[in-house]
Amino acid sequence: LLVAFPSFGQEEARHEGYKALDGFVGTWTIPGQESTYQETCAWYHGEKHIVCNTESKRKDGSIGHSMSILSFVPDKGYVYTGIGSRGRYETHEKGTYQNGILEYTDQADGETTRIRIGPFTDHEIIPFVVHTSKNGTDWELAESFNHTRAK
């Protein structure tokens, strides 16, 4: 069987926006959860997306799995999609990267959520911070933790 693929010519130069995702590559855990949480992130073929596979031991003893895909789309910004073994699905679009911080801001049902990842100043730690605001009120801290490189 012979399959012909069209020739697309030379690939365009890699956009500078992909470089911000380099900091995610590696195997990560959360301090205090080293024996129950591990996330491994790697560039997907072609180095246009980071794919992260996570395994975590739940309090009931079951094992949870999730997958995250982080991407840069030149005309849309940074994009995140996450799924989990219990049906979790979330997506964030129009993310920005400035001063070493990847940020997504989403609105739903009168609530604004801001997710900040970084700053990427240390190759061993990735800070995650989530703030929420209901109907334009002041930001409230919803969640904060660090991913640390697994040993």
Side-chain angles (χ1 to χ4, degrees):
L1 179 65
L2 178 65
V3 178
F5 294 96
S7 174
F8 293 106
Q10 203 169 14
E11 189 172 329
E12 291 182 27
R14 185 178 168 106
H15 193 284
E16 196 58 30
Y18 294 106
K19 188 172 177 58
L21 300 176
D22 282 338
F24 289 102
V25 174
T27 300
W28 304 92
T29 190
I30 296 173
Q33 298 178 34
E34 292 87 351
S35 64
T36 60
Y37 180 93
Q38 184 168 308
E39 181 169 32
T40 300
C41 301
W43 281 108
Y44 188 70
H45 305 281
E47 295 192 357
K48 305 285 183 178
H49 312 279
I50 297 280
V51 177
C52 300
N53 288 288
T54 304
E55 183 174 294
S56 58
K57 186 173 183 181
R58 298 182 181 115
K59 291 180 182 178
D60 67 5
S62 65
I63 304 295
H65 296 272
S66 64
M67 181 171 60
S68 301
I69 301 171
L70 297 111
S71 304
F72 174 75
V73 180
D75 58 343
K76 292 186 179 184
Y78 293 89
V79 180
Y80 169 87
T81 302
I83 60 171
S85 56
R86 288 193 171 165
R88 177 182 72 90
Y89 170 79
E90 65 180 291
T91 184
H92 303 284
E93 297 181 346
K94 299 178 184 171
T96 60
Y97 184 80
Q98 294 178 335
N99 300 319
I101 297 173
L102 181 59
E103 181 172 298
Y104 300 94
T105 303
D106 294 308
Q107 293 183 328
D109 302 323
E111 181 173 89
T112 304
T113 302
R114 178 177 65 193
I115 301 168
R116 301 184 84 192
I117 306 165
F120 290 92
T121 56
D122 183 334
H123 295 290
E124 302 298 314
I125 298 171
I126 302 175
F128 284 77
V129 179
V130 179
H131 291 97
T132 58
S133 172
K134 292 188 182 197
N135 300 313
T137 60
D138 289 341
W139 290 107
E140 292 183 22
L141 180 64
E143 188 174 14
S144 177
F145 60 93
N146 289 324
H147 270 149
T148 57
R149 196 169 294 277
K151 305 287 182 214

